[in-house]
Amino acid sequence: MVDQLPNLGREKEMLEAMGLSSMDDLFSDIPEAVRMNGELPLRGPQSEEEIIADARRILGANVALGDRVNFLGAGLNRNYVPASVFQLITRGEFLTSYTPYQPEVSQGMLQAMWEFQTLISELLCLEVANLSVYDGSTAAAEAITCAVRVHNRKATQKDTIYISELIPPARISVIENYTQGGGVIVKTLRHNSDGTLNLESLSEAAGSCGIYVEQPNPLGVLDGGLTRVKEIIGESTAFIVGVSPVSLGLIEAPGNYGADIVVGEGQALGSPITYGGPLYGIFACTKAYLRQMPGRIVGRSIDVDGKEAFCLTLSTREQHIRRHRATSNICTNETLIALMGAMHMSLLGPEGLQKLAQRNMAACQLAKKKLSEIPTIAIPHAMNCHFNEFVVELPGSASDCIAYLDTQGLIGGYDLSNWYPQRRNWLLVSFSDQTKETEIELLTAHLAVWSASVSPGVSA
Amino acid sequence: MSHLFEHKGAGGKGYSQPESIMPTDNLQIPSSLIRKDLPKWPRLSEPEMVRHYTWLSTRNFGIDTGFYPLGSCTMKHNPRVNEVIAQLPGIADLHPLQPEHQIQGTLAIFHEMQEMLGICAGMDAVTLQPVAGAQGEFTAIRCFQEYFRKRGELQRTKVIVPDSAHGTNPASASMAGFEIIEIPSQEDGRIDLNALRAVVGDDTAAMMITNPSTLGVFEPEIAEAAEIVHAAGGQMYYDGANFNAILGLTSPGIMGFDAVHYNLHKTFSQPHGGGGPGSGPIGVKSHLAEFLPGPVVKRRPVLSGDRLTSVNKEWWYHWQEPENSIGKVQQWHGNSGAVIRSWAFYRRYGRDLKTMSQHAVLNANYLRYKIMQEAEAKGVGHLFCDGAPIDVVKHEFTLSFAPMKEEMGIGAMDIAKGLLDRGYMAPTVYFPLIVPECMMFEPTETESKDVLDEFAIKFVEVLQEDPDVLHAAPITTKVRRVDEVYAARNLVLSYPFDEE
């Protein structure tokens, strides 16, 4: 029998108090024709001990990233999250609370989210941030619809948005699902062979509602050319940048080179990858976009005694007030994961963030140096600076290479033909603060062996 | 210390990090991209950081703190073993792009959840990808849209929602590009079939409705409503926010719905976390399965050559893209962590999910009865009335305090604040919009009779309170009544460093 119901065995007493004789009386309003009769065709209940034993057995069949030497990232990175974050997040006052609609008893979460907004604003150098959307992909999609709402009236290219051709198909698919209802036309921006944005292609975007590019881009390239984007597209076209937040310990904040909206996947700050969810989407913008922003925002206020207090604000943008005219349908968001992010950011401090960025970047740079010594492979964008990941061009297919590395105990990276079908030989390899020098050496050795084995006329 | 940003210790003192694996003095960052000023983040040591967030937590109210009868939100107890399971390396330390042979455990659990959710709702196919209820709604509406496009029925541009619907319903349909037709409810809060008949036609794409409704009322004519919409060629959408009332007792499938979303953070106890994360899978009837966002988990008998694991005695689990998928609504595979917690919750109940729903409804009816009885005994029964005058409610119920507002100038919000002073979270106020001075109560199945008895007494005490005291409430909370207008007029959305 289940052990979570305090009134088991007291049903009769409660029913009799109400003048009812059976549980069925409580469901007398459900017409016979739509009743489900008999038991649910499901298994019986389990005890906590049985559930955890099953969970360990079933999830034990998975290969955790930590069980292997891992170079798979593709936008999600396995940074170290301090133990205190996991300890604090289990506090029931945070974990089991709802959206803070009663501010007098929700000051803790409200203040924590106001602080989160501040941490993000400071990180991105933008005036306002919300307290999270679902993930990096929906953040990008929401940014695009926000830009259309702000700029469409004056745009010469109505309903039109330009996005980098490098954006992975899954992210594009999310963007298309979010924008198709509004009739948004999504066009693409071309890239140069060195992986940087083609600035001539960019000039076509002037007069549109906005452009969306990423820094670093999906190939890990840090593109200095993005600092010139705003002057090319002009004031009436939104400059939307997707960022890796950790990189901003070293890399200029997009708010300082003209970005109007900055979004990103927050996960690397505060959260494990958790098979891709829950994550948290970062969303920040200049004040000009504030009234068209999606999601919840906390403001500082006062109580009746004039004492500092916090509450949700600008709610008239939101679905529970504005209904079909809301800026987004988002209600439930990722507050608790954003709180983990705030805790991690608090512990890092400015210099800690810088060091974390250095460690991530150093791992990438060391790997680039080692892998470039393998004569049978190429690094097509080697002349650029990379963060977290870069592309390796192999002498054979990336899928074969990954299968080989798997037999050697390595999760070897990502086969980029999944994103760009013509790039069968492109392997995206990722490195983080968790990457060790010995692991890079192991990857180098195995790649050298495999590459030689598939390269005619080369002996290992 | 009350502000995070007032901690200004030495640089890098929060937690020590290992040295970089190579020197970082020449990282070759293009000069135009070098960050000049670091963010003005605080500098805290671990003891200071732990104390700050612990202090914040003491200023927050959760289910663990006390009774949380927030209607429409299903604030039930969150079993703690679920948290332990979600942090196992086999879930936390997993990447969504790992090959199938490395994730058979997760796929097995996803498959079990898809099957279970389908059975509970009477649906043929389920995706776990949407990460919140609103996203589930949007996803299902997108599936309807592609279904009509495939059939060439491009004229179906309207979505019907009752005026009692959650705000996400019209917002989600509008985001997908549909026009919203709102229809009024009857006096007693039930769906008005004549109003529905008047608006359906060959431009109807769908009707979105929750049953039981936001008034806690089961719509007895739901099958007729479905017939009207289907006869016009439209689809029926079930908002699963109130699913906790009906598991094992009826199902959206039996009622005639074509698609449904589940709120795993309501019905299946994923903790609400102050506003998220949630999880909003959807289930659909077979004619919509080809449009689901992809991929979904399938299984086939194990073949020779499969790499066997502890879960692969019979079945091999794999991802499969639905034939005419709408694509992605989240980049990866949804909020896997929430799905796993909900799996652990499901395993706790199994087929007794029916008992869970019975107890949710028992508690709602009992609390309603006790409040009425206590109010009559104390002579304040005339200060409020039923939001919907019916014999039995489902998992929640509404009361209107319009009479009290009229007589004493005390509204639902004042009563809510009086409850905060007595150590309770307030019920939902001012929703649904169709009930004046509304309070919406949902006790859930995890509250004891003793808690409900005590709450009824304290609730009536609030009604008997001096109006001046209620206007001034709350007085025992960490801050007193917060000025929301001030916040909106004097926007301070981040720490004002320049005020220092």
Side-chain angles (χ1 to χ4, degrees):
Chain A
M1 199 43 175
V2 291
D3 54 11
Q4 297 282 310
L5 299 172
N7 294 330
L8 272 179
R10 303 184 79 173
E11 298 93 335
K12 192 158 174 282
E13 182 189 350
M14 294 167 75
L15 288 165
E16 279 175 1
M18 293 186 273
L20 302 175
S21 55
S22 78
M23 282 289 204
D24 291 344
D25 291 347
L26 293 170
F27 296 92
S28 56
D29 54 342
I30 301 184
E32 194 67 48
V34 296
R35 281 191 204 174
M36 189 188 286
N37 296 310
E39 295 291 321
L40 278 166
L42 299 171
R43 60 177 301 146
Q46 284 182 303
S47 67
E48 174 168 325
E49 290 169 57
E50 292 166 311
I51 296 166
I52 200 158
D54 268 5
R56 286 186 192 283
R57 180 181 60 80
I58 298 171
L59 294 169
N62 290 338
V63 176
L65 297 174
D67 296 342
R68 298 288 180 92
V69 176
N70 171 53
F71 302 99
L72 178 62
L76 299 175
N77 283 289
R78 193 166 164 266
N79 287 330
Y80 182 79
V81 179
S84 49
V85 173
F86 294 99
Q87 291 285 306
L88 286 165
I89 214 68
T90 63
R91 288 196 66 97
E93 301 89 336
F94 289 139
L95 184 72
T96 72
S97 63
Y98 195 73
T99 302
Y101 289 134
Q102 294 289 345
E104 297 84 2
V105 288
S106 312
Q107 285 298 299
M109 192 58 103
L110 284 162
Q111 182 175 334
M113 287 301 105
W114 184 75
E115 291 168 353
F116 172 80
Q117 291 171 187
T118 309
L119 292 162
I120 296 296
S121 275
E122 279 294 313
L123 181 66
L124 307 176
C125 293
L126 283 167
E127 290 157 303
V128 286
N130 73 12
L131 56 82
S132 83
V133 292
Y134 306 136
D135 74 339
S137 69
T138 62
E142 296 264 24
I144 287 169
T145 60
C146 176
V148 172
R149 286 191 298 273
V150 170
H151 291 296
N152 209 32
R153 202 167 55 83
K154 291 187 182 164
T156 52
Q157 298 188 59
K158 294 269 184 241
D159 301 311
T160 305
I161 284 282
Y162 286 77
I163 69 175
S164 158
E165 64 180 341
L166 298 178
I167 307 298
R171 203 131 75 228
I172 293 179
S173 180
V174 173
I175 289 169
E176 287 177 344
N177 267 314
Y178 271 65
T179 56
Q180 64 90 38
V184 176
I185 302 155
V186 179
K187 295 187 173 174
T188 50
L189 295 169
R190 295 190 303 280
H191 282 69
N192 303 312
S193 58
D194 68 354
T196 58
L197 184 67
N198 182 315
L199 295 180
E200 281 169 32
S201 158
L202 186 66
S203 59
E204 294 164 21
S208 69
C209 295
I211 73 146
Y212 174 65
V213 294
E214 296 180 356
Q215 178 88 302
N217 74 20
L219 306 179
V221 172
L222 289 163
D223 187 348
L226 295 195
T227 56
R228 293 177 48 205
V229 165
K230 191 61 185 174
E231 64 186 86
I232 296 172
I233 61 175
E235 269 314 302
S236 56
T237 299
F239 178 24
I240 308 167
V241 184
V243 292
S244 150
V246 174
S247 71
L248 300 178
L250 288 172
I251 304 303
E252 185 58 284
N256 285 344
Y257 56 83
D260 299 294
I261 307 176
V262 177
V263 295
E265 177 49 66
Q267 169 267 325
L269 289 174
S271 173
I273 295 175
T274 323
Y275 199 55
L279 309 170
Y280 67 97
I282 290 170
F283 192 110
C285 57
T286 64
K287 270 197 176 142
Y289 295 79
L290 174 61
R291 306 272 161 184
Q292 292 298 334
M293 217 177 164
R296 296 195 185 110
I297 303 171
V298 177
R300 188 179 71 166
S301 187
I302 50 172
D303 73 359
V304 290
D305 294 334
K307 194 164 138 191
E308 178 180 74
F310 300 92
C311 61
L312 294 174
T313 193
L314 299 177
S315 302
T316 50
R317 300 163 299 112
E318 294 186 68
Q319 49 76 29
H320 63 281
I321 312 271
R322 190 57 63 86
R323 299 175 79 83
H324 71 275
R325 282 184 292 273
T327 55
S328 169
N329 69 338
I330 192 167
C331 179
T332 288
N333 54 27
E334 307 294 323
T335 297
L336 196 75
I337 315 300
L339 179 62
M340 294 171 83
M343 290 172 177
H344 191 184
M345 290 182 245
S346 305
L347 266 189
L348 282 169
E351 293 79 14
L353 176 73
Q354 188 177 45
K355 180 156 187 181
L356 183 61
Q358 284 169 343
R359 292 172 63 209
N360 275 272
M361 205 152 180
C364 199
Q365 202 177 31
L366 181 64
K368 205 157 73 170
K369 182 164 168 285
K370 298 270 186 195
L371 294 180
S372 65
E373 289 163 8
I374 304 173
T376 46
I377 69 170
I379 298 174
H381 313 125
M383 66 294 287
N384 289 301
C385 183
H386 289 82
F387 194 83
N388 277 146
E389 44 208 349
F390 58 88
V391 177
V392 173
E393 186 163 7
L394 303 165
S397 85
S399 67
D400 289 350
C401 180
I402 289 168
Y404 169 79
L405 293 172
D406 185 33
T407 64
Q408 304 301 309
L410 276 65
I411 300 175
Y414 190 60
D415 171 6
L416 282 177
S417 69
N418 292 302
W419 292 356
Y420 319 123
Q422 73 281 17
R423 301 293 189 185
R424 285 186 59 247
N425 295 357
W426 275 18
L427 179 70
L428 185 67
V429 282
S430 300
F431 310 87
S432 75
D433 63 339
Q434 296 299 287
T435 308
K436 296 179 184 67
E437 186 169 3
T438 52
E439 294 176 336
I440 292 172
E441 283 163 359
L442 194 64
L443 176 68
T444 309
H446 285 303
L447 274 181
V449 170
W450 181 83
S451 298
S453 75
V454 298
S455 303
V458 178
S459 57
Chain B
M1 184 72 78
S2 62
H3 272 297
L4 184 65
F5 298 95
E6 286 159 16
H7 293 273
K8 292 170 184 159
K13 72 181 210 170
Y15 74 104
S16 58
Q17 301 181 50
E19 288 308 313
S20 283
I21 60 174
M22 67 174 278
T24 56
D25 45 10
N26 184 20
L27 292 170
Q28 294 164 358
I29 302 168
S31 58
S32 64
L33 284 182
I34 294 174
R35 182 162 190 144
K36 289 165 215 59
D37 301 307
L38 285 171
K40 289 196 278 294
W41 285 3
R43 296 186 177 97
L44 290 81
S45 62
E46 181 180 317
E48 292 166 297
M49 176 273 198
V50 169
R51 192 166 285 163
H52 177 72
Y53 283 103
T54 303
W55 175 76
L56 286 180
S57 77
T58 64
R59 299 165 68 79
N60 221 52
F61 192 102
I63 304 163
D64 288 2
T65 319
F67 185 39
Y68 213 120
L70 197 65
S72 235
C73 302
T74 314
M75 300 300 284
K76 64 175 69 178
H77 173 67
N78 304 131
R80 281 311 195 278
V81 69
N82 304 2
E83 298 306 308
V84 173
I85 289 169
Q87 293 307 331
L88 293 174
I91 171 66
D93 194 19
L94 220 59
H95 194 291
L97 295 173
Q98 281 180 256
E100 284 166 357
H101 69 266
Q102 294 182 354
I103 52 161
Q104 286 292 298
T106 292
L107 293 182
I109 285 179
F110 273 35
H111 189 269
E112 188 177 345
M113 286 295 282
Q114 288 177 188
E115 295 287 307
M116 181 276 288
L117 292 171
I119 287 168
C120 288
M123 292 288 139
D124 300 319
V126 170
T127 173
L128 304 172
Q129 192 179 111
V131 293
Q135 201 182 44
E137 295 170 8
F138 175 74
T139 305
I141 293 292
R142 282 285 298 120
C143 291
F144 291 166
Q145 196 168 35
E146 293 305 318
Y147 169 79
F148 288 127
R149 283 176 183 163
K150 190 180 175 197
R151 291 165 62 94
E153 298 180 51
L154 303 179
Q155 83 286 0
R156 296 196 179 275
T157 55
K158 292 180 180 162
V159 168
I160 302 163
V161 295
D163 56 7
S164 62
H166 295 112
T168 50
N169 289 185
S172 299
S174 176
M175 248 172 75
F178 288 97
E179 188 184 330
I180 308 304
I181 306 292
E182 191 173 273
I183 58 168
S185 304
Q186 295 188 59
E187 283 287 295
D188 61 3
R190 288 184 300 136
I191 182 173
D192 184 338
L193 290 185
N194 287 329
L196 178 59
R197 281 191 196 94
V199 296
V200 294
D202 64 3
D203 59 357
T204 301
M207 176 173 198
M208 301 178 82
I209 189 168
T210 181
N211 190 23
S213 73
T214 55
L215 296 164
V217 177
F218 192 86
E219 300 279 5
E221 296 179 311
I222 192 66
E224 289 79 358
E227 269 179 44
I228 292 167
V229 172
H230 283 148
Q235 296 283 295
M236 284 292 282
Y237 180 77
Y238 182 87
D239 172 345
N242 297 342
F243 196 41
N244 206 46
I246 62 162
L247 276 87
L249 296 150
T250 175
S251 79
I254 295 173
M255 292 182 231
F257 287 90
D258 301 289
V260 48
H261 86 257
Y262 311 82
N263 294 98
L264 297 189
H265 47 291
K266 294 180 180 174
T267 320
F268 291 90
S269 90
Q270 156 69 19
H272 284 80
S279 176
I282 68 167
V284 295
K285 288 284 180 64
S286 56
H287 64 282
L288 296 165
E290 65 186 277
F291 304 106
L292 286 177
V296 293
V297 180
K298 300 281 185 183
R299 68 180 186 184
R300 58 162 173 76
V302 169
L303 302 173
S304 66
D306 287 340
R307 295 197 218 180
L308 296 191
T309 68
S310 57
V311 298
N312 292 106
K313 297 208 169 49
E314 293 172 66
W315 301 103
W316 182 261
Y317 297 93
H318 60 97
W319 287 116
Q320 188 171 305
E321 199 67 28
E323 196 183 346
N324 292 305
S325 174
I326 63 162
K328 290 275 196 183
V329 292
Q330 190 249 18
Q331 188 169 349
W332 313 105
H333 301 298
N335 277 350
S336 161
V339 171
I340 304 274
R341 285 179 179 85
S342 300
W343 168 85
F345 179 83
Y346 155 58
R347 285 294 192 93
R348 198 97 179 207
Y349 283 87
R351 69 179 75 92
D352 286 346
L353 285 171
K354 177 175 174 175
T355 312
M356 172 191 89
S357 282
Q358 286 173 326
H359 274 247
V361 172
L362 174 69
N363 278 4
N365 279 281
Y366 183 78
L367 180 62
R368 177 175 178 242
Y369 165 79
K370 289 299 281 189
I371 288 175
M372 301 278 192
Q373 188 201 40
E374 178 71 12
E376 287 304 325
K378 297 282 162 61
V380 292
H382 63 288
L383 293 178
F384 61 93
C385 55
D386 264 315
I390 43 168
D391 294 338
V392 285
V393 294
K394 294 277 80 62
H395 65 302
E396 67 189 6
F397 61 93
T398 56
L399 298 176
S400 168
F401 293 87
M404 190 168 179
K405 179 88 180 172
E406 176 82 9
E407 184 175 323
M408 303 165 68
I410 295 293
M413 189 60 89
D414 300 312
I415 300 165
K417 301 304 183 192
L419 285 169
L420 301 184
D421 268 338
R422 283 161 178 80
Y424 295 108
M425 177 53 77
T428 300
V429 289
Y430 300 135
F431 186 85
L433 308 174
I434 57 175
V435 176
E437 295 300 327
C438 187
M439 292 190 104
M440 183 194 221
F441 302 73
E442 181 180 8
T444 83
E445 69 278 9
T446 57
E447 295 300 333
S448 71
K449 174 180 178 295
D450 308 311
V451 166
L452 304 179
D453 286 338
E454 175 87 6
F455 178 80
I457 291 167
K458 292 285 162 72
F459 186 80
V460 171
E461 268 179 32
V462 173
L463 301 186
Q464 294 172 289
E465 189 69 88
D466 180 337
D468 291 339
V469 171
L470 282 185
H471 281 308
I475 55 167
T476 62
T477 46
K478 302 288 182 188
V479 297
R480 293 186 55 211
R481 213 176 285 204
V482 179
D483 190 340
E484 297 185 3
V485 175
Y486 180 94
R489 288 199 181 143
N490 304 276
L491 286 175
V492 182
L493 306 179
S494 57
Y495 183 80
F497 292 98
D498 47 10
E499 268 181 24
E500 289 171 11

